[in-house]
Amino acid sequence: MTSKSKRVDEPKALRLPFNTDPGACYGKSDCGLLGPDGPWQAPIFNVGDGLQVPLYPSLYYGNVILTPKNGGLYDPSNSSTARKTGLSPSRQPMQDDVLQTQFVSQTASSMTSYFDSLEFPSEFSDDSMTVNTTLFAASDWKYNTANGSSYSPSVGYVGLDAPREDAKLPPSLLDQVKSQGKINTKAVSLHLASAKFQQTGSFILGGYDKSRVIGSPGVWPKLSHSIYLKDVTLGVEEGGSPFKIDTLVTKDTPLSIWQGLGGNKVGADIIRGQSGVEGSAIVQPMASLPSIYLPIGNCEAAAKHLPVTWRDDIGYYTWNVDDPQYMRIVSSPAYLGFVLSTPEAKNVTIKVAFALLNLTLESPIVATPTQYFPCHPTDSQYGVWILGRAFMQAAFWAMDYEKNQQYIGQGPGPRHEQLVLKPWPTNESTLETSPADSYASTWRPHWTALPEEGKSSDSLSGGVIAGIVVGIVAGLAIFAGVVWWFMRRRRDAVKEKEKDTGDSRDDDKEIVAHSASPGHQLSVSTLPAEAIGPERRHELSGKRAVYEMPGSQAEVIEVKPHRATGR
């Protein structure tokens, strides 16, 4: 009784486990990291008689599941609930297939439609529920590579939207979940998260996890081709820039690398017809595709600042892992920023850390595991570009099928807060979110900030400037002290020398000097006082040296003794 009354107060939302969750797969072969261009993770579903399979969420109606002939597990002949419908994929709006064909070369010549049961397992076993749906069982679905080989996708996808009214198909999955009282609103939220960093994914029907959206998300009409990508930037969240020396990036000033539509006329016409942001591109997040697909010229612009090489033989940018800059970038707070504009001209920037853009190609795409940069230049024939799983690792995405609105916001890094499950708001469009400034804290254990080198003086802090000034003043004071000491010492030396010179003159006071020229004889008044005393006699030796005034030549004269007389 207590347990039931407690659950009445819990939000009506259904959180599905992922194939990488501890204990979710019980060691089955389809569990764990998904490739060959990941690693990825996906929500898991029970199909038919309980077969557990991972499926990527799709925006539209229709579910594609892999049969053993296609490398999958679903065998309709072994499902007691499966029955053929006679429908072909072309008879329902398989929009994911339509869009995928222009971004990933593929063939799907053999798909058979079945009605079968699909169970939504939950982290609470009594919340699990089963619905009826249409499954397209793929037996010959191939992705084609640039070198002419092909391989089977590892995961199918589950459709979320309703079928066309004239399709005579079962109601949408969300319609059925709501009709059974499991959720209040036909809404779904997704944070794909990073399988590489062992970050648990979040896929919730009828609600969202507050810890998976940072700051205010942007809101757009549902699938209306109105998500404008107006800029792509290189940035660093904190510390110094890991990019090349000529890449002018600081934590306060990201560098725009946006090149526009690359001459795509269809995209330009759509933007013009909607009075959108000139030069921007229409984009759509989509978990069923792996990479980030941008107009021609934009991936190329990013590559100029990165240690990557485009390889024609496989059709991917690969990281130059021997370049020291490679580790500086992928282990730093650097990011690729996507600036999205809402219909209200509000900008929302989604930062995809370069740590999430260091993914791995495996066989059969390459012979040995190879690190790659998941950005693909694409000339879209529909004028729409896709932000695939590489983007959705870092983004919060949600769709409200009742209000016909979709939400895109910043997702957290691997160290996010605990789960805070919220029911989807029914009367408003505002979500409760984590603080806008909490993004860096969710990443710090997984990156190494670099020192801020080469900062200009006008960007120095007040404390640093004050320290420099104090140092200069102290240096000048020391210099002045040294100069004063040397000058004082020199002055003392001069005085000492003058004193020695004066003593020598006193010793010579008996010397009589006169000029060789009579007109230059020294007067008596210039002699020492003892020489003119009235009664004192001073005898001179027979011969003495006489020093003449400057300019005269000294000569030796004989002076006879005489008595000095007074005046």
Side-chain angles (χ1 to χ4, degrees):
M1 183 71 177
T2 304
S3 175
K4 290 184 179 180
S5 62
K6 180 179 178 181
R7 295 191 60 78
V8 169
D9 296 329
E10 291 182 357
K12 285 192 175 182
L14 195 63
R15 180 179 182 270
L16 275 66
F18 275 62
N19 66 312
T20 50
D21 289 357
C25 290
Y26 306 105
K28 295 186 179 180
S29 60
D30 60 315
C31 301
L33 301 181
L34 304 170
D37 47 16
W40 309 117
Q41 56 191 357
I44 54 176
F45 301 82
N46 295 331
V47 182
D49 292 330
L51 177 67
Q52 196 172 68
V53 295
L55 297 172
Y56 294 126
S58 163
L59 303 178
Y60 307 95
Y61 185 87
N63 312 287
V64 176
I65 191 168
L66 307 177
T67 66
K69 291 182 179 180
N70 217 131
L73 297 173
Y74 178 68
D75 186 349
S77 63
N78 292 332
S79 174
S80 62
T81 55
R83 59 186 181 89
K84 285 186 178 181
T85 66
L87 297 174
S88 66
S90 61
R91 290 187 58 189
Q92 57 174 341
M94 300 286 288
Q95 287 292 96
D96 275 22
D97 286 341
V98 172
L99 290 174
Q100 283 195 58
T101 55
Q102 63 174 314
F103 297 106
V104 176
S105 176
Q106 59 185 296
T107 57
S109 59
S110 179
M111 285 193 180
T112 305
S113 175
Y114 292 87
F115 286 132
D116 208 340
S117 62
L118 185 71
E119 180 187 8
F120 291 89
S122 173
E123 57 183 345
F124 303 111
S125 59
D126 58 342
D127 276 345
S128 299
M129 63 161 299
T130 302
V131 298
N132 296 315
T133 188
T134 304
L135 299 176
F136 282 87
S139 57
D140 188 25
W141 182 18
K142 301 291 184 181
Y143 283 172
N144 304 315
T145 65
N147 59 18
S149 63
S150 63
Y151 65 95
S152 299
S154 58
V155 181
Y157 50 85
V158 57
L160 299 173
D161 203 356
R164 292 195 307 256
E165 293 182 0
D166 61 345
K168 296 181 180 180
L169 294 170
S172 74
L173 303 180
L174 291 175
D175 277 315
Q176 296 183 60
V177 175
K178 182 180 178 181
S179 67
Q180 296 186 36
K182 298 294 185 180
I183 60 176
N184 294 326
T185 306
K186 291 187 297 182
V188 60
S189 65
L190 172 67
H191 176 221
L192 192 61
S194 171
K196 177 180 179 180
F197 287 97
Q198 299 181 345
Q199 183 182 14
T200 304
S202 175
F203 183 56
I204 302 174
L205 308 182
Y208 67 101
D209 180 355
K210 175 183 175 181
S211 71
R212 299 305 181 107
V213 54
I214 295 177
S216 299
V219 183
W220 289 265
K222 169 194 166 189
L223 306 178
S224 63
H225 290 176
S226 61
I227 304 175
Y228 303 134
L229 175 62
K230 60 185 297 186
D231 201 1
V232 176
T233 63
L234 294 176
V236 60
E237 185 67 14
E238 56 187 16
S241 169
F243 301 108
K244 297 176 182 178
I245 192 67
D246 58 345
T247 303
L248 303 178
V249 174
T250 69
K251 63 183 180 182
D252 299 317
T253 55
L255 174 68
S256 173
I257 57 170
W258 183 242
Q259 304 298 308
L261 292 172
N264 187 284
K265 186 177 183 305
V266 177
D269 288 343
I270 294 175
I271 292 292
R272 189 179 305 109
Q274 297 182 164
S275 298
V277 181
E278 184 177 357
S280 62
I282 294 174
V283 294
Q284 177 61 56
M286 186 178 291
S288 56
L289 287 172
S291 292
I292 296 169
Y293 305 88
L294 298 178
I296 300 293
N298 291 285
C299 295
E300 296 90 331
K304 292 179 181 179
H305 303 275
L306 304 172
V308 297
T309 301
W310 176 259
R311 290 183 52 181
D312 286 323
D313 59 328
I314 58 176
Y316 290 89
Y317 279 105
T318 59
W319 287 100
N320 303 328
V321 296
D322 294 329
D323 190 322
Q325 193 190 17
Y326 160 70
M327 282 306 300
R328 280 173 57 90
I329 292 176
V330 300
S331 63
S332 76
Y335 62 82
L336 195 63
F338 295 81
V339 182
L340 308 176
S341 178
T342 71
E344 293 76 27
K346 172 188 173 183
N347 288 344
V348 177
T349 299
I350 307 301
K351 301 173 182 178
V352 183
F354 271 96
L356 300 177
L357 301 175
N358 178 33
L359 298 172
T360 305
L361 295 173
E362 298 175 304
S363 177
I365 300 176
V366 290
T368 58
T370 303
Q371 302 307 114
Y372 82 104
F373 172 54
C375 191
H376 282 263
T378 307
D379 190 21
S380 172
Q381 68 184 84
Y382 297 105
V384 178
W385 286 263
I386 300 300
L387 305 178
R389 291 190 292 275
F391 172 85
M392 298 191 77
Q393 295 177 103
F396 169 86
W397 174 86
M399 185 79 81
D400 185 334
Y401 288 92
E402 295 187 9
K403 297 178 184 174
N404 289 324
Q405 293 177 330
Q406 66 174 315
Y407 298 68
I408 304 172
Q410 179 67 58
R415 194 181 181 182
H416 54 81
E417 297 296 327
Q418 70 179 46
L419 167 69
V420 182
L421 189 61
K422 295 285 184 180
W424 195 261
T426 56
N427 298 321
E428 55 185 22
S429 299
T430 303
L431 305 182
E432 293 184 43
T433 67
S434 296
D437 58 357
S438 63
Y439 171 74
S441 65
T442 67
W443 268 106
R444 285 195 183 103
H446 300 276
W447 68 31
T448 301
L450 300 172
E452 297 184 58
E453 300 173 353
K455 293 185 68 174
S456 59
S457 59
D458 59 356
S459 64
L460 297 176
S461 66
V464 173
I465 294 174
I468 293 173
V469 171
V470 170
I472 293 174
V473 172
L476 291 175
I478 293 172
F479 177 75
V482 171
V483 171
W484 176 84
W485 183 79
F486 275 106
M487 292 183 66
R488 180 180 177 85
R489 185 176 181 186
R490 182 178 180 186
R491 184 178 61 189
D492 291 346
V494 171
K495 287 183 178 180
E496 188 67 26
K497 184 175 181 180
E498 290 177 350
K499 180 179 179 181
D500 294 342
T501 303
D503 292 343
S504 66
R505 288 176 179 172
D506 290 342
D507 293 339
D508 293 338
K509 59 187 176 183
E510 294 183 0
I511 296 176
V512 178
H514 82 114
S515 173
S517 172
H520 291 272
Q521 185 174 356
L522 293 175
S523 67
V524 176
S525 62
T526 64
L527 298 175
E530 304 91 78
I532 59 175
E535 292 295 332
R536 302 183 63 177
R537 181 179 304 207
H538 298 271
E539 300 289 339
L540 297 175
S541 62
K543 289 186 178 181
R544 301 293 295 270
V546 178
Y547 297 91
E548 296 185 347
M549 294 291 290
S552 301
Q553 192 171 10
E555 62 176 325
V556 178
I557 62 173
E558 185 177 350
V559 180
K560 295 182 178 181
H562 66 279
R563 182 183 300 273
T565 59
R567 295 180 68 177

